[in-house]
Amino acid sequence: MTAPSLRLSGTARIDGAPIFGPVDLEAPAGRWTCLLGPSGVGKSTILRLLAGLGEEVTFEGEMTAASGAPGENLVALMAQSDLLMPWLDVTANTMLGARLRGEAQPRDRAREVLERVGLAAHAAKRPHALSGGQRQRVALARTLLEDRRVVLLDEPFSALDARSRALMQDLAAELLAGRTVLHVTHDTAEAARLGERVLLMTRDGIALVTPPEAPPPRRYDAPETLAFQGRLLRQLMEAR
Amino acid sequence: MIRVPHAAGVALLGILAWQAIVTLAGLPRFILPGPLAVFSTLWTSRNLIAEHALITAIEVLVGLGLGAALGFATAILLAASPLARSLLRPMLVFSQAVPVFALAPILTLWLGYGLWSKVAMALLIIYFPVTSAFFDALMRTPPGWLELARIMNATPARILMRIRVPAAMPGFASGLRLAAVYAPIGAIIGEWVGASQGLGYLMLLANGRAKIDLMFAALIVLAVLTLLLHAAVDAICRRLWEG
């Protein structure tokens, strides 16, 4: 599986109002890139554009979109909301992509993936019977089953409690390794733990901040992780 | 859902107040019979009332089933096709400007004195609420689900059948709950305009012969049937789509 890289440079507006830009973003192939920035700076808009959504956005510039041939999509998206269908059980939610494309249901692979996210015992439950952390793990299982080379994460862990969030970060880092990941977050601690490459997005554009040597997921209490987190926060505070 | 002990308490109070009014005002039987007179008529005429109640129940159930199915199909057609929306929606709204009551004589003329003119009335009266409630719900699918489906390369038809329709079932259920209350109204109006059977017919007949106690007995049975239908529809909807 060779994962493509993502690149986007240009400006975006919605109904004439500027959303971001000019910015220059690159997410190298097979690496985990964190896009960190305050709310309202246009991070999610970048993600939507790369996902082939965002008809409401007027984008001027260049983008190596993650979509291949027309109708073929190379990306999977995991959002802040788990987007589980309440009328489907965990297994059926995991296989949603196949259901929606009219393909044969990959039951064996679904079982395997649910095993890997630690939900094998909950496979027949409905989403309302799960905790927030478990629901987000189902969303991760669904993302894994799609098996796309590019994975876009839009603050997927931000609604979780601290412990669930740390566990989810470890799990996602392990299971999504080798894919091109672009992870939008406003959490400096998260970027410090997960980013192989960390991009800081402010009104002035996108700046590259070099993370510690240690491979992600970095220990949340390691001095270099905490120091890097402090550095990211300082740069955020100093930006306009 | 109405809690049974509370509902029973309120009903008992109502009956007591009813008896009090009749006794204190000294109303004659042919104006307002007391609850005792009505319940004794209900008992002595139980076979007659049951026979007519069965007819009305069949009209209501057939009308409810057909109206719900037609409303379901119309809402899906409207949701699936912008062309259907632009053509049919103004007509649907316009149709609501015509009082269904005014159509009853015409329906009786076209469909006769039997079952089908009443079924048509019940159907017409519930068609719009069911269509409208389900269609509104179909157009309000959470955008996140639709975007997820698009990223998964789903076709519009599959998005409709696998996401929008199941997501809109609670809306369809609220349309059905309304329909369960409206459908008996339609059937009764149909029976008033022209029928030889049914609770509406029995009420008119009793009224004409100054058997007001029989009229009230039929009215009570009609109300109880409507409540039962509503409770049954509510229970089915909860079980299917809100469990």
Side-chain angles (χ1 to χ4, degrees):
Chain A
M1 184 165 73
T2 52
S5 63
L6 296 174
R7 183 186 278 279
L8 179 145
S9 68
T11 59
R13 280 172 291 129
I14 295 180
D15 295 332
I19 300 299
F20 65 73
V23 297
D24 199 353
L25 171 142
E26 198 199 343
R31 309 290 291 276
W32 189 300
T33 304
C34 281
L35 180 60
L36 175 72
S39 299
V41 82
K43 309 183 299 289
S44 289
T45 305
I46 289 183
L47 214 60
R48 290 176 61 80
L49 285 167
L50 287 169
L53 302 169
E55 288 76 10
E56 73 282 6
V57 186
T58 318
F59 175 70
E60 278 167 21
E62 278 179 43
M63 168 168 69
T64 49
S67 55
E72 190 208 349
N73 205 333
L74 300 177
V75 308
L77 174 73
M78 198 175 156
Q80 181 178 353
S81 157
D82 52 62
L83 298 176
L84 300 183
M85 313 283 151
W87 58 88
L88 299 177
D89 67 15
V90 165
T91 307
N93 261 299
T94 307
M95 301 187 300
L96 184 73
R99 289 174 70 89
L100 287 176
R101 290 186 293 272
E103 297 165 1
Q105 311 225 336
R107 293 201 165 268
D108 292 340
R109 279 184 50 225
R111 198 173 306 125
E112 192 185 295
V113 165
L114 284 174
E115 193 106 18
R116 285 167 75 186
V117 300
L119 285 178
H122 303 279
K125 285 189 185 166
R126 295 280 191 93
H128 66 82
L130 303 178
S131 70
Q134 290 171 328
R135 291 169 63 104
Q136 207 48 287
R137 277 192 275 159
V138 180
L140 178 62
R142 182 184 63 201
T143 308
L144 286 171
L145 201 63
E146 284 295 284
D147 201 20
R148 302 283 172 83
R149 289 175 281 174
V150 177
V151 176
L152 304 175
L153 304 177
D154 192 1
E155 302 182 13
F157 315 129
S158 59
L160 302 179
D161 66 89
R163 187 185 140 80
S164 306
R165 189 186 311 150
L167 292 171
M168 273 301 285
Q169 287 166 349
D170 291 339
L171 192 63
E174 178 199 334
L175 296 178
L176 295 174
R179 297 168 208 267
T180 306
V181 175
L182 181 60
H183 177 184
V184 160
T185 178
H186 53 224
D187 181 358
T188 49
E190 187 160 276
R193 289 201 68 204
L194 292 177
E196 285 178 276
R197 192 178 153 91
V198 177
L199 303 173
L200 192 69
M201 184 168 180
T202 59
R203 304 226 171 274
D204 299 322
I206 292 176
L208 180 67
V209 192
T210 312
E213 292 282 316
R218 301 183 188 94
R219 284 190 59 92
Y220 40 82
D221 56 354
E224 62 269 24
T225 313
L226 292 170
F228 183 58
Q229 181 186 341
R231 221 174 98 209
L232 288 173
L233 187 56
R234 192 173 64 240
Q235 291 204 21
L236 269 178
M237 299 302 284
E238 285 165 359
R240 266 197 302 141
Chain B
M1 199 149 159
I2 312 162
R3 276 188 283 164
V4 175
H6 288 189
V10 170
L12 195 67
L13 273 180
I15 291 168
L16 286 175
W18 177 10
Q19 184 64 60
I21 290 169
V22 172
T23 314
L24 293 175
L27 290 171
R29 237 182 120 117
F30 57 87
I31 298 291
L32 181 64
L36 272 177
V38 170
F39 285 113
S40 85
T41 307
L42 187 59
W43 181 248
T44 50
S45 309
R46 59 187 184 279
N47 287 335
L48 177 74
I49 294 175
E51 202 179 291
H52 289 282
L54 180 66
I55 300 292
T56 303
I58 291 171
E59 292 163 0
V60 168
L61 288 178
V62 176
L64 184 64
L66 290 179
L70 209 59
F72 187 89
T74 310
I76 288 185
L77 178 69
L78 289 175
S81 151
L83 182 69
R85 271 207 291 286
S86 62
L87 291 178
L88 278 182
R89 246 177 119 190
M91 279 170 60
L92 266 178
V93 175
F94 174 73
S95 75
Q96 288 308 293
V98 180
V100 187
F101 307 86
L103 293 177
I106 303 173
L107 288 174
T108 311
L109 180 71
W110 289 345
L111 299 171
Y113 277 77
L115 175 75
W116 292 104
S117 56
K118 287 81 190 172
V119 167
M121 277 299 296
L123 186 156
L124 280 182
I125 220 164
I126 68 163
Y127 174 64
F128 187 77
V130 171
T131 307
S132 171
F134 189 35
F135 172 71
D136 285 349
L138 282 171
M139 299 308 277
R140 261 189 270 113
T141 316
W145 284 349
L146 298 178
E147 289 179 356
L148 181 70
R150 274 178 53 203
I151 290 176
M152 290 174 160
N153 298 330
T155 59
R158 284 212 182 84
I159 292 180
L160 181 66
M161 295 323 289
R162 304 229 156 182
I163 295 185
R164 291 174 67 191
V165 168
M169 288 323 276
F172 182 61
S174 64
L176 278 187
R177 286 193 190 95
L178 276 180
V181 179
Y182 286 168
I185 300 177
I188 292 296
I189 293 167
E191 288 173 0
W192 281 349
V193 170
S196 51
Q197 286 171 302
L199 285 176
Y201 164 79
L202 185 64
M203 283 163 72
L204 270 194
L205 191 77
N207 205 8
R209 295 182 183 177
K211 289 186 175 171
I212 307 304
D213 44 355
L214 180 59
M215 204 196 94
F216 271 90
L219 190 64
I220 288 171
V221 171
L222 178 67
V224 169
L225 283 182
T226 303
L227 286 177
L228 287 178
L229 181 63
H230 183 262
V233 166
D234 187 59
I236 292 171
C237 289
R238 265 167 209 279
R239 193 165 181 150
L240 286 182
W241 303 305
E242 285 148 36

